[in-house]
Structure formats: C-alpha cells, structure tokens
C-alpha cells in the first residue's frame, strides 16, 4: 500500500493487492462529501433522532469521519457499524498529519477508538467495527438492526466482485429501514440491476462538473416506504437518464454471483463471463454505439 496526494490536497492510498486507488484523483475528502454525505440528505433527520449507519469498507475512514463531522452539532444520535478486511488503511491514515488535520478532535478520537478498541460508546453516539471479510462479518450484525444509511465503498466490481454480488447486495438491502438509502460511488449496470431487483428505487449521482466527464458519479438506492414515490431529484442526484436505464437491459447488467459467500474474485468473474456469453440480453457494444456515437 502506498500513500498519494489527491487534487484537493487530501491523502489517499493505492492498494497493490487490488491494483486500485482508494479514491478518485479529484480528492478523497471531496469524494466523501460529494458522493456520500451530500446524497444522504442529512437535514431530513430531526433533532434527537437516532441515525443507524453502516460503513461498508471503512478504509481510511473518510466517509464515516465526514458523516460524523456533518451531524456532530445538530443533536442527531448515531448508532454506527463498520465492516473492513484490513486494519492497515486506518492505522496508516492516523499516522499521517495531513489526514489528521481534516478532522475535529472529537472525530479523531472516534477514529482512534475504532482502530484501538473496535468502536466507541459516548452518551449520544456508539459504534462498532467488525474486522474481516464483510461477507461473513455482515451476518454478525443483529437482524433487529436496520440502517438508515449504508455507505458502500468497496473496490470496483472488476477487482472486488465479492462485495458487489447479487447475494451480498441483497443481504445488505435487507438491512435497510423503510426509506433507508444505500449510497455508492459505483454506477455499474450489474450493480444497479441487482439493487433494482432487490426492490430499491435508483437514482443517479450527478456527473462531476470539474472533470468534463458526463458519466454519473455513483448510485443512490432507496427502499421506498410502500406506495410512496421518491423525489426524482435531490442533492447531487437525479433520475437515471434514458441512456442509463437502457444500460440495465444489456449484458453489462449481468450480475456477479457468489452463492456460498466464499468464492474468490476469479471464480465470480469467470461465472459472470460464462453467463454473459449465454445471455439473450442485448450486447453492450450495441448500446454503446447507439448512445456514445450520438453524444
Ligand atoms: C475503496 S477502499 C475504501 C475507502 C474508504 N471508504 C475510505 O473512506 O477511505 C476499499 C476497502 O475495501 C476493503 N476490502 C476489500 N475486500 C474486502 C472484504 N472482502 N471485506 C471487507 N473489506 C474489504 C479494503 O481493505 C479497502 O480498505
């Protein structure tokens, strides 16, 4: 693992094992706010309410730290759970001065408690991290615990398909409260189609204005209270465009499958490739030709 600087000055890590950066180059801090905290619409939660949050892949802790900074002065209680395979990213971050300068003393204390004591208990907030493979650790969270927010920030499906499988995402969504939101930077058709099949309403995170790229920057998936319609637009999100909707009807939407919850990445990728070959769905190339040559 090596440290690198992102464009907003915040530090992130590169994983040699997954061959992937932890954050996009525009900014680790910026990504946490724009893709997770803003779409969470925290102002919806009234004073005194208890917010249940699950951080899937806490890594260096940006998403959790940004979220706690955002609610710490508005009397919202927090019940937090975290899942993470590797203890090193948070430890490396907490030894880095630039990283520590991002946070208020109370948030830094919480991050250190996660590292040293697997969580914290304060009068108005409590948290617990489960170290290990998220697929197994998720099952240790009591069934009675439901989440208003699930922040899903695993490495990309092509490098870490085990955390984007039909099975894992269905278990995650079964842990949402009514009206609960799963938020992720991932806009892959396979992931969106799986979330849709799990009964969630999809919204698309807006493209990044600065990058000049018109692609969505992620997905907001909402478990709608029965018969209630969800706003088409919200902070940093909108309805899926017709192009994005059609993407879900192509072979790119073939799900990652991991029935046992124990398969390794290569097995899951090979299984998906076979299913794509045999699929009657439209070839993604045709969809690309239709939309991307028109753009
Ligand atoms: C993109 S990084 C997360 C970044 C993080 N949210 C942050 O704010 O810094 C992905 C993380 O997934 C973790 N990870 C990879 N495979 C995992 C697994 N099977 N279970 C749990 N965590 C996993 C990696 O250790 C890494 O910390």
């Amino acid at each position: 693992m090596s440290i690198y600087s992102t464009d907003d000055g915040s530090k992130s890590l590169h994983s040699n094992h997954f061959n992937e950066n932890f954050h996009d180059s525009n900014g680790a801090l910026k990504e946490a706010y724009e893709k997770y905290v803003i779409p969470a619409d925290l102002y919806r939660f009234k004073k005194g309410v208890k917010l249940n949050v699950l951080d899937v892949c806490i890594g260096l802790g940006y998403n959790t730290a940004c979220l706690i900074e955002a609610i710490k002065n508005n009397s919202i209680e927090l019940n937090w759970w975290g899942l993470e395979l590797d203890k090193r990213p948070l430890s490396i971050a907490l030894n880095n001065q630039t990283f520590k300068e991002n946070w208020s003393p109370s948030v830094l204390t919480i991050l250190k408690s996660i590292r040293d004591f697997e969580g914290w208990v304060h009068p108005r907030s409590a948290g617990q991290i489960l170290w290990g493979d998220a697929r197994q650790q998720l099952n240790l969270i009591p069934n009675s615990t439901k989440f208003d927010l699930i922040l899903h920030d695993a490495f990309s499906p092509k490098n870490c398909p085990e955390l984007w499988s039909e099975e894992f995402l269905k278990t995650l969504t079964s842990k949402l409260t009514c009206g609960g939101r799963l938020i992720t930077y991932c806009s892959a058709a396979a992931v969106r189609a799986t979330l849709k099949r799990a009964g969630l309403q999809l919204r698309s995170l807006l493209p990044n204005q600065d990058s000049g790229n018109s692609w969505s920057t992620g997905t907001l998936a909402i478990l709608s209270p029965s018969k209630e319609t969800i706003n088409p637009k919200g902070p940093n999100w909108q309805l899926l465009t017709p192009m994005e909707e059609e993407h879900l009807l192509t072979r790119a939407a073939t799900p990652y499958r991991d029935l046992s919850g124990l398969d390794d990445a290569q097995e899951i990728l090979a299984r998906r490739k076979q299913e794509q070959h045999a699929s009657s769905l439209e070839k993604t190339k045709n969809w690309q030709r239709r939309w991307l040559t028109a753009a």
Side-chain angles (χ1 to χ4, degrees):
M1 250 180 263
S2 51
I3 301 185
Y4 68 96
S5 287
T6 64
D7 290 351
D8 67 0
S10 57
K11 301 288 180 188
S12 186
L13 290 174
H14 175 81
S15 163
N16 293 333
H17 178 73
F18 287 94
N19 192 23
E20 192 165 318
N21 288 343
F22 279 56
H23 293 94
D24 75 35
S25 57
N26 293 320
L29 195 54
K30 186 170 152 67
E31 187 174 0
Y33 270 113
E34 290 183 355
K35 297 187 186 172
Y36 291 93
V37 175
I38 293 176
D41 260 348
L42 294 167
Y43 61 80
R44 294 176 296 143
F45 300 103
K46 308 243 171 356
K47 275 188 180 176
V49 102
K50 186 180 261 180
L51 184 63
N52 289 286
V53 176
L54 173 63
D55 187 345
V56 183
C57 298
I58 175 179
L60 294 88
Y62 274 102
N63 298 339
T64 282
C66 282
L67 184 111
I68 301 177
E69 290 289 1
I71 62 170
K72 75 178 194 303
N73 294 324
N74 60 3
S75 307
I76 293 176
E77 286 191 28
L78 177 66
N79 178 36
W80 178 93
W81 289 79
L83 299 171
E84 173 56 55
L85 183 65
D86 192 343
K87 296 182 174 180
R88 291 172 301 166
L90 183 59
S91 289
I92 295 170
L94 287 170
N95 282 328
N96 183 284
Q97 192 52 29
T98 310
F99 176 82
K100 288 197 284 186
E101 282 166 8
N102 292 318
W103 317 115
S104 60
S106 62
V107 169
L108 259 185
T109 304
I110 285 176
L111 291 178
K112 286 180 186 160
S113 299
I114 295 172
R115 178 193 62 188
D116 299 337
F117 308 112
E118 303 188 345
W120 77 97
V121 181
H122 293 165
R124 286 188 28 251
S125 78
Q128 194 175 331
I129 190 152
L130 298 169
W131 299 112
D133 189 327
R135 292 176 292 178
Q136 283 92 55
Q137 300 305 90
L138 181 60
N139 299 320
L140 301 181
I141 300 176
N143 284 335
S144 56
T145 303
K146 300 284 179 197
F147 295 101
D148 305 294
L149 293 174
I150 296 179
L151 314 177
H152 190 348
D153 197 7
F155 288 121
S156 61
K158 72 177 189 322
N159 290 327
C160 189
E162 53 273 39
L163 296 192
W164 303 102
S165 71
E166 189 88 351
E167 293 74 19
F168 183 70
L169 291 177
K170 282 221 166 107
T171 309
L172 271 186
T173 59
S174 73
K175 296 193 175 291
L176 281 171
T177 55
C178 212
R181 297 179 176 193
L182 184 150
I183 308 174
T184 175
Y185 74 90
C186 182
S187 56
V191 169
R192 285 180 168 178
T194 291
L195 293 170
K196 198 169 175 181
R197 273 192 295 277
L200 305 189
Q201 291 202 31
L202 302 185
R203 296 291 180 270
S204 175
L205 300 193
L206 298 181
N208 182 341
Q209 307 278 339
D210 307 333
S211 70
N213 185 334
S214 60
W215 282 100
S216 164
T217 52
T219 304
L220 167 66
I222 307 173
L223 181 62
S224 169
S226 59
K227 293 194 185 130
E228 238 174 77
T229 43
I230 311 265
N231 283 342
K233 277 182 173 186
N236 208 24
W237 47 268
Q238 63 182 5
L239 283 174
L240 270 63
T241 62
M243 180 182 89
E244 290 175 290
E245 288 286 1
E246 271 191 28
H247 198 197
L248 305 189
L249 304 175
T250 73
R251 291 183 192 188
T254 308
Y256 298 89
R257 299 190 193 276
D258 175 23
L259 272 179
S260 66
L262 295 167
D263 287 349
D264 67 29
Q266 293 321 313
E267 287 171 306
I268 299 170
L269 293 174
R271 186 176 300 125
R272 178 167 181 265
K273 207 168 184 183
Q274 270 183 354
E275 194 174 333
Q276 282 180 315
H277 278 310
S279 172
S280 58
L281 292 174
E282 183 185 26
K283 286 190 175 156
T284 310
K285 266 190 193 156
N286 296 348
W287 167 87
Q288 270 170 346
R289 256 184 233 126
R290 236 187 352 270
W291 287 99
L292 302 181
T293 48

